[in-house]
Amino acid sequence: MARSSRRSPTARRRPPSGRPAVCGATGRFSGAPGFTRTDLSGNTGTRSVEESPEIVVRMAAVGADGPTGTFTDIDGPLPW
């Protein structure tokens, strides 16, 4: 028997998992830590595990007047 495709009222109000419900005052943007030397990359990455979090910390500290709709790496915003 096929399941109904109808969603409950609660499910309709909840954002899909993996997406933030509220972006707050900072808008929407993302940062890329780069290709990191880890066991997963076979230690062939170009950035150390100490260097890679820098962009994540920088983007976490962005205020309300910061960028929105951007994808940023260590060198700055990247074109879409």
Side-chain angles (χ1 to χ4, degrees):
M1 181 172 185
R3 292 179 18 178
S4 171
S5 62
R6 298 176 71 178
R7 295 173 69 190
S8 71
T10 302
R12 283 193 302 265
R13 287 189 296 270
R14 188 185 66 210
S17 60
R19 290 181 48 196
V22 177
C23 293
T26 59
R28 296 174 188 252
F29 53 84
S30 62
F35 187 39
T36 307
R37 284 187 299 272
T38 64
D39 290 342
L40 185 62
S41 69
N43 292 308
T44 59
T46 57
R47 296 178 56 81
S48 72
V49 293
E50 292 81 18
E51 296 169 320
S52 291
E54 181 181 339
I55 187 63
V56 176
V57 172
R58 186 187 316 164
M59 297 307 288
V62 169
D65 60 341
T68 187
T70 62
F71 181 71
T72 305
D73 72 0
I74 198 66
D75 297 321
L78 298 169
W80 283 75

Coordinates of all heavy atoms in Angstrom, one line a residue:
M1 N 0.8 -1.2 0.0 CA 0.0 0.0 0.0 C 0.9 1.2 0.0 O 1.8 1.3 0.8 CB -0.9 0.0 1.2 CG -1.8 1.1 1.3 SD -2.9 0.8 2.7 CE -4.0 2.1 2.5
A2 N 0.6 2.2 -0.9 CA 1.4 3.4 -1.0 C 1.2 4.3 0.2 O 0.0 4.4 0.7 CB 1.1 4.1 -2.3
R3 N 2.2 5.0 0.6 CA 2.1 5.9 1.7 C 1.6 7.3 1.2 O 1.8 7.6 0.1 CB 3.4 6.1 2.4 CG 3.9 4.9 3.1 CD 5.2 5.0 3.8 NE 5.7 6.4 4.0 CZ 6.9 6.6 4.6 NH1 7.6 5.6 5.0 NH2 7.3 7.8 4.8
S4 N 0.9 8.0 2.0 CA 0.3 9.3 1.6 C 1.5 10.3 1.5 O 2.4 10.2 2.3 CB -0.7 9.7 2.7 OG -1.0 11.1 2.5
S5 N 1.4 11.2 0.6 CA 2.4 12.2 0.4 C 2.1 13.4 1.2 O 2.8 14.4 1.1 CB 2.6 12.5 -1.1 OG 1.4 13.1 -1.6
R6 N 1.0 13.4 2.0 CA 0.6 14.6 2.8 C 1.5 14.7 4.0 O 1.9 13.7 4.6 CB -0.9 14.4 3.2 CG -1.8 14.3 2.0 CD -3.2 14.1 2.4 NE -3.7 15.3 3.1 CZ -4.9 15.4 3.5 NH1 -5.8 14.4 3.4 NH2 -5.3 16.5 4.1
R7 N 1.8 15.9 4.3 CA 2.7 16.2 5.4 C 1.8 16.7 6.6 O 0.9 17.4 6.4 CB 3.7 17.2 5.1 CG 4.7 16.7 4.0 CD 5.6 17.7 3.5 NE 6.6 18.1 4.6 CZ 7.4 19.1 4.6 NH1 7.4 19.9 3.5 NH2 8.2 19.4 5.5
S8 N 2.2 16.4 7.8 CA 1.5 16.9 9.0 C 1.8 18.4 9.1 O 2.8 18.9 8.5 CB 2.0 16.2 10.2 OG 3.3 16.6 10.5
P9 N 1.0 19.1 9.8 CA 1.2 20.6 10.1 C 2.6 20.9 10.7 O 3.2 21.8 10.3 CB 0.0 21.0 11.0 CG -1.0 20.0 10.7 CD -0.3 18.7 10.4
T10 N 3.0 20.0 11.6 CA 4.3 20.2 12.2 C 5.4 20.1 11.1 O 6.3 20.9 11.1 CB 4.5 19.2 13.3 OG1 3.5 19.4 14.3 CG2 5.9 19.4 14.0
A11 N 5.3 19.1 10.3 CA 6.3 18.9 9.3 C 6.4 20.0 8.3 O 7.4 20.3 7.7 CB 6.1 17.5 8.6
R12 N 5.2 20.6 8.0 CA 5.2 21.7 7.0 C 5.9 23.0 7.6 O 6.5 23.7 6.9 CB 3.8 22.1 6.7 CG 3.2 21.1 5.7 CD 1.9 21.6 5.1 NE 0.9 21.9 6.1 CZ -0.1 21.1 6.4 NH1 -0.2 19.9 5.9 NH2 -1.0 21.4 7.4
R13 N 5.9 23.1 8.9 CA 6.5 24.3 9.5 C 8.0 24.1 9.8 O 8.7 25.1 9.9 CB 5.8 24.6 10.9 CG 4.4 25.2 10.7 CD 3.9 25.7 12.0 NE 3.7 24.6 13.0 CZ 2.6 24.0 13.2 NH1 1.5 24.2 12.4 NH2 2.5 23.0 14.1
R14 N 8.4 22.9 9.9 CA 9.8 22.6 10.2 C 10.6 22.7 8.9 O 10.3 22.1 7.9 CB 9.9 21.2 10.8 CG 11.3 20.9 11.3 CD 11.4 19.5 11.8 NE 11.3 18.6 10.6 CZ 10.8 17.4 10.6 NH1 10.4 16.9 11.7 NH2 10.7 16.7 9.5
P15 N 11.8 23.4 8.9 CA 12.7 23.4 7.7 C 13.3 22.0 7.5 O 13.4 21.2 8.4 CB 13.7 24.4 8.1 CG 13.8 24.4 9.5 CD 12.4 24.1 10.0
P16 N 13.6 21.7 6.3 CA 14.3 20.4 6.0 C 15.5 20.3 6.8 O 16.2 21.3 7.1 CB 14.6 20.4 4.5 CG 13.7 21.5 3.9 CD 13.4 22.5 5.0
S17 N 15.8 19.1 7.3 CA 17.0 18.9 8.1 C 18.3 19.3 7.3 O 18.3 19.1 6.1 CB 17.1 17.5 8.6 OG 17.2 16.6 7.5
G18 N 19.3 19.8 7.9 CA 20.5 20.2 7.3 C 20.4 21.7 6.8 O 21.4 22.2 6.4
R19 N 19.3 22.4 7.0 CA 19.2 23.8 6.7 C 18.8 24.5 7.9 O 18.0 24.1 8.7 CB 18.1 24.0 5.6 CG 18.4 23.4 4.3 CD 17.4 23.7 3.2 NE 16.9 25.0 3.2 CZ 15.8 25.4 2.7 NH1 15.0 24.5 2.0 NH2 15.4 26.7 2.7
P20 N 19.4 25.7 8.1 CA 19.1 26.5 9.3 C 17.7 27.0 9.3 O 17.2 27.4 8.2 CB 20.2 27.6 9.3 CG 20.6 27.7 7.9 CD 20.4 26.3 7.3
A21 N 17.0 27.1 10.4 CA 15.7 27.6 10.5 C 15.7 29.1 10.4 O 14.9 29.8 9.8 CB 15.0 27.2 11.8
V22 N 16.7 29.7 11.0 CA 16.9 31.2 11.1 C 18.3 31.5 10.8 O 19.2 30.9 11.4 CB 16.4 31.7 12.5 CG1 16.6 33.2 12.6 CG2 15.0 31.3 12.8
C23 N 18.5 32.5 10.0 CA 19.9 32.9 9.7 C 20.4 34.0 10.6 O 21.5 34.4 10.6 CB 20.0 33.4 8.2 SG 19.8 32.0 7.1
G24 N 19.5 34.6 11.3 CA 19.8 35.7 12.3 C 20.2 37.0 11.5 O 19.9 37.1 10.3
A25 N 21.0 37.8 12.2 CA 21.3 39.1 11.6 C 22.5 39.0 10.6 O 22.8 40.0 10.0 CB 21.7 40.1 12.7
T26 N 23.2 37.9 10.5 CA 24.4 37.8 9.7 C 24.1 37.4 8.3 O 25.0 37.5 7.5 CB 25.3 36.7 10.3 OG1 24.7 35.5 10.4 CG2 25.8 37.1 11.7
G27 N 22.9 37.0 7.9 CA 22.6 36.7 6.5 C 23.1 35.3 6.2 O 23.3 34.5 7.1
R28 N 23.2 35.0 4.9 CA 23.6 33.7 4.5 C 24.9 33.7 3.7 O 25.1 34.5 2.8 CB 22.5 33.1 3.5 CG 21.2 32.9 4.2 CD 20.2 32.5 3.2 NE 18.9 32.4 3.8 CZ 18.2 31.3 4.0 NH1 18.7 30.2 3.7 NH2 17.0 31.4 4.6
F29 N 25.8 32.9 4.2 CA 27.1 32.8 3.5 C 27.8 31.5 3.9 O 27.3 30.9 4.9 CB 28.0 34.0 3.9 CG 28.2 34.3 5.3 CD1 29.1 33.6 6.1 CD2 27.4 35.2 6.0 CE1 29.2 33.8 7.5 CE2 27.5 35.4 7.3 CZ 28.4 34.7 8.1
S30 N 28.8 31.2 3.3 CA 29.6 29.9 3.6 C 31.0 30.1 3.4 O 31.5 31.0 2.7 CB 29.1 28.7 2.8 OG 29.3 28.9 1.5
G31 N 31.8 29.3 4.1 CA 33.3 29.4 4.0 C 33.9 28.1 3.8 O 33.3 27.0 4.2
A32 N 34.9 28.0 3.0 CA 35.6 26.8 2.7 C 37.0 26.8 3.3 O 37.8 27.7 3.1 CB 35.8 26.7 1.2
P33 N 37.2 25.7 4.1 CA 38.5 25.7 4.8 C 39.7 25.2 4.0 O 40.8 25.3 4.4 CB 38.3 24.6 5.9 CG 37.2 23.8 5.4 CD 36.3 24.7 4.5
G34 N 39.4 24.8 2.7 CA 40.5 24.4 1.8 C 40.8 22.9 1.9 O 40.2 22.2 2.7
F35 N 41.7 22.5 1.1 CA 42.1 21.1 1.1 C 43.1 20.8 2.2 O 44.2 21.3 2.2 CB 42.7 20.8 -0.3 CG 43.0 19.3 -0.5 CD1 42.1 18.3 -0.1 CD2 44.2 18.9 -1.2 CE1 42.4 17.0 -0.3 CE2 44.4 17.6 -1.4 CZ 43.6 16.6 -1.0
T36 N 42.6 20.1 3.3 CA 43.3 20.0 4.5 C 44.1 18.7 4.6 O 43.5 17.6 4.2 CB 42.4 20.1 5.7 OG1 41.6 21.3 5.5 CG2 43.1 20.2 7.0
R37 N 45.3 18.7 5.1 CA 46.1 17.5 5.3 C 45.5 16.7 6.5 O 45.6 17.1 7.7 CB 47.5 17.8 5.6 CG 48.3 18.2 4.4 CD 49.8 18.4 4.7 NE 50.1 19.4 5.7 CZ 50.3 20.7 5.4 NH1 50.2 21.1 4.2 NH2 50.5 21.6 6.4
T38 N 44.8 15.6 6.2 CA 44.2 14.8 7.2 C 44.4 13.3 6.8 O 44.8 13.0 5.6 CB 42.7 15.0 7.4 OG1 42.0 14.7 6.2 CG2 42.5 16.5 7.8
D39 N 44.1 12.4 7.6 CA 44.1 11.0 7.2 C 43.1 10.7 6.1 O 43.4 9.9 5.2 CB 43.7 10.1 8.4 CG 44.8 10.1 9.5 OD1 45.9 10.4 9.2 OD2 44.5 9.6 10.6
L40 N 42.0 11.4 6.1 CA 41.0 11.3 5.1 C 41.5 11.7 3.7 O 41.2 11.0 2.7 CB 39.7 12.1 5.4 CG 38.5 11.9 4.5 CD1 38.0 10.5 4.5 CD2 37.4 12.9 4.9
S41 N 42.4 12.7 3.6 CA 42.9 13.1 2.4 C 44.3 12.5 2.1 O 44.9 12.8 1.1 CB 43.1 14.7 2.3 OG 44.1 15.0 3.2
G42 N 44.6 11.5 2.9 CA 45.9 10.8 2.7 C 47.1 11.7 3.0 O 48.2 11.6 2.5
N43 N 46.8 12.8 3.8 CA 47.8 13.8 4.2 C 48.4 14.5 3.0 O 49.6 14.8 2.9 CB 48.9 13.1 5.0 CG 48.4 12.8 6.4 OD1 47.8 13.6 7.1 ND2 48.6 11.5 6.8
T44 N 47.6 14.6 1.9 CA 48.1 15.3 0.7 C 47.5 16.7 0.6 O 47.8 17.4 -0.5 CB 47.7 14.5 -0.6 OG1 46.2 14.4 -0.6 CG2 48.3 13.1 -0.6
G45 N 46.8 17.2 1.5 CA 46.2 18.5 1.5 C 47.2 19.6 1.4 O 48.4 19.4 1.8
T46 N 46.8 20.8 1.1 CA 47.7 22.0 1.0 C 47.7 22.8 2.2 O 48.5 23.7 2.4 CB 47.3 22.8 -0.2 OG1 45.9 23.2 -0.1 CG2 47.4 22.1 -1.5
R47 N 46.7 22.6 3.1 CA 46.6 23.4 4.4 C 46.7 22.4 5.6 O 46.2 21.3 5.5 CB 45.3 24.2 4.4 CG 45.3 25.2 3.3 CD 44.0 26.0 3.3 NE 43.7 26.6 4.6 CZ 44.2 27.8 5.0 NH1 45.0 28.4 4.2 NH2 43.8 28.3 6.2
S48 N 47.3 22.9 6.6 CA 47.4 22.1 7.9 C 46.1 22.2 8.6 O 45.3 23.1 8.4 CB 48.6 22.6 8.7 OG 48.2 23.8 9.3
V49 N 45.9 21.3 9.6 CA 44.7 21.3 10.4 C 44.7 22.5 11.3 O 43.6 22.9 11.8 CB 44.6 20.0 11.2 CG1 44.3 18.8 10.3 CG2 45.8 19.8 12.1
E50 N 45.8 23.1 11.5 CA 45.9 24.4 12.3 C 45.5 25.6 11.5 O 44.9 26.5 12.0 CB 47.3 24.6 12.9 CG 47.7 23.6 13.9 CD 48.2 22.3 13.4 OE1 48.6 22.2 12.2 OE2 48.3 21.3 14.1
E51 N 45.8 25.6 10.2 CA 45.4 26.7 9.3 C 44.0 26.7 8.8 O 43.4 27.7 8.7 CB 46.3 26.6 8.1 CG 47.8 26.8 8.3 CD 48.6 26.5 7.1 OE1 48.3 25.6 6.4 OE2 49.6 27.3 6.9
S52 N 43.4 25.5 8.6 CA 42.1 25.4 8.0 C 41.0 26.0 8.8 O 40.1 26.6 8.2 CB 41.8 23.9 7.7 OG 42.6 23.5 6.7
P53 N 40.9 26.0 10.1 CA 39.8 26.6 10.8 C 39.8 28.1 10.8 O 38.8 28.7 11.1 CB 40.0 26.1 12.2 CG 40.9 24.9 12.2 CD 41.7 25.1 11.0
E54 N 40.8 28.7 10.3 CA 40.9 30.2 10.3 C 39.7 30.8 9.6 O 39.1 31.8 10.1 CB 42.2 30.7 9.6 CG 42.3 32.2 9.6 CD 43.6 32.6 8.9 OE1 44.6 31.8 8.8 OE2 43.6 33.8 8.5
I55 N 39.3 30.3 8.4 CA 38.2 30.9 7.7 C 36.9 30.6 8.4 O 36.0 31.5 8.4 CB 38.1 30.4 6.2 CG1 37.0 31.1 5.4 CG2 37.9 28.9 6.1 CD1 37.3 32.6 5.3
V56 N 36.7 29.5 9.0 CA 35.5 29.2 9.8 C 35.4 30.2 11.0 O 34.3 30.7 11.2 CB 35.6 27.7 10.3 CG1 34.3 27.4 11.1 CG2 35.7 26.8 9.1
V57 N 36.4 30.4 11.7 CA 36.4 31.4 12.8 C 36.1 32.8 12.3 O 35.3 33.5 12.8 CB 37.7 31.3 13.6 CG1 37.8 32.4 14.6 CG2 37.9 29.9 14.2
R58 N 36.8 33.2 11.2 CA 36.6 34.5 10.6 C 35.1 34.7 10.2 O 34.5 35.7 10.5 CB 37.4 34.7 9.4 CG 37.4 36.1 8.8 CD 38.1 36.3 7.5 NE 39.4 35.7 7.5 CZ 40.1 35.6 6.3 NH1 39.5 35.9 5.2 NH2 41.2 35.0 6.3
M59 N 34.5 33.7 9.5 CA 33.1 33.8 9.1 C 32.2 33.8 10.3 O 31.1 34.4 10.3 CB 32.7 32.7 8.1 CG 33.5 32.8 6.8 SD 33.5 34.3 6.0 CE 31.8 34.3 5.4
A60 N 32.5 33.1 11.4 CA 31.7 33.0 12.6 C 31.6 34.4 13.3 O 30.7 34.7 13.9 CB 32.1 31.9 13.5
A61 N 32.7 35.2 13.1 CA 32.8 36.5 13.7 C 32.2 37.6 12.9 O 32.2 38.8 13.3 CB 34.2 36.8 14.1
V62 N 31.6 37.3 11.7 CA 31.1 38.3 10.9 C 29.9 39.0 11.5 O 29.0 38.3 12.1 CB 30.7 37.7 9.5 CG1 29.8 38.7 8.7 CG2 31.9 37.3 8.7
G63 N 29.8 40.3 11.5 CA 28.7 41.0 12.1 C 27.5 41.2 11.2 O 27.5 40.7 10.0
A64 N 26.5 41.9 11.6 CA 25.3 42.1 10.8 C 25.6 42.9 9.5 O 24.9 42.8 8.6 CB 24.3 42.9 11.7
D65 N 26.7 43.7 9.5 CA 27.0 44.4 8.3 C 28.0 43.6 7.4 O 28.4 44.2 6.4 CB 27.7 45.7 8.7 CG 29.0 45.6 9.5 OD1 29.2 44.5 10.0 OD2 29.8 46.5 9.5
G66 N 28.2 42.4 7.7 CA 29.1 41.6 6.8 C 28.4 41.1 5.5 O 27.3 41.5 5.2
P67 N 29.2 40.3 4.8 CA 28.7 39.8 3.5 C 27.5 38.9 3.6 O 27.3 38.2 4.6 CB 29.9 39.0 2.9 CG 30.6 38.5 4.1 CD 30.4 39.6 5.2
T68 N 26.7 38.8 2.6 CA 25.6 37.9 2.5 C 25.5 37.3 1.1 O 25.9 38.0 0.1 CB 24.2 38.6 2.9 OG1 23.2 37.6 3.0 CG2 23.8 39.7 2.0
G69 N 25.2 36.1 1.0 CA 25.1 35.4 -0.3 C 26.5 35.2 -0.9 O 26.6 35.1 -2.1
T70 N 27.5 35.0 0.0 CA 28.9 34.8 -0.5 C 29.4 33.4 -0.2 O 28.9 32.8 0.8 CB 29.8 35.8 0.0 OG1 29.9 35.7 1.4 CG2 29.4 37.2 -0.3
F71 N 30.4 32.9 -0.9 CA 31.1 31.7 -0.7 C 32.6 32.2 -0.6 O 33.1 32.8 -1.5 CB 30.9 30.7 -1.8 CG 31.7 29.4 -1.5 CD1 31.2 28.6 -0.5 CD2 32.8 29.1 -2.3 CE1 31.9 27.4 -0.3 CE2 33.5 27.9 -2.0 CZ 33.0 27.1 -1.0
T72 N 33.2 32.0 0.6 CA 34.5 32.6 0.9 C 35.5 31.5 1.2 O 35.2 30.6 1.9 CB 34.3 33.6 2.0 OG1 33.3 34.5 1.7 CG2 35.6 34.3 2.3
D73 N 36.7 31.7 0.7 CA 37.8 30.9 1.2 C 38.8 31.8 1.9 O 38.5 33.0 2.1 CB 38.5 30.1 0.1 CG 39.3 30.9 -0.9 OD1 39.4 32.1 -0.8 OD2 39.8 30.3 -1.9
I74 N 40.0 31.4 2.2 CA 41.0 32.1 2.9 C 41.4 33.4 2.2 O 41.8 34.4 2.8 CB 42.2 31.3 3.3 CG1 43.0 31.9 4.4 CG2 43.1 31.0 2.1 CD1 42.3 32.0 5.7
D75 N 41.3 33.5 0.9 CA 41.7 34.7 0.1 C 40.5 35.6 -0.1 O 40.7 36.7 -0.7 CB 42.3 34.2 -1.2 CG 43.5 33.4 -1.1 OD1 44.3 33.7 -0.2 OD2 43.7 32.4 -1.8
G76 N 39.4 35.3 0.3 CA 38.2 36.2 0.2 C 37.1 35.6 -0.6 O 37.1 34.4 -0.9
P77 N 36.0 36.4 -0.9 CA 34.9 35.8 -1.6 C 35.2 35.2 -3.0 O 36.1 35.7 -3.7 CB 34.0 37.0 -1.8 CG 34.4 38.0 -0.8 CD 35.9 37.8 -0.6
L78 N 34.6 34.1 -3.3 CA 34.8 33.4 -4.6 C 33.6 33.7 -5.5 O 32.5 33.8 -5.1 CB 34.9 31.9 -4.4 CG 36.1 31.5 -3.5 CD1 36.0 30.0 -3.2 CD2 37.4 31.7 -4.2
P79 N 33.9 33.8 -6.8 CA 32.8 34.0 -7.8 C 31.9 32.8 -7.8 O 32.4 31.6 -7.6 CB 33.5 34.2 -9.1 CG 34.8 33.6 -9.0 CD 35.2 33.7 -7.5
W80 N 30.6 33.0 -8.0 CA 29.7 31.9 -8.2 C 29.7 31.3 -9.5 O 29.7 31.7 -10.5 CB 28.3 32.4 -7.9 CG 28.0 32.6 -6.4 CD1 28.5 33.6 -5.6 CD2 27.3 31.7 -5.5 NE1 28.1 33.4 -4.3 CE2 27.4 32.3 -4.3 CE3 26.6 30.5 -5.7 CZ2 26.8 31.7 -3.2 CZ3 26.0 30.0 -4.6 CH2 26.1 30.5 -3.3

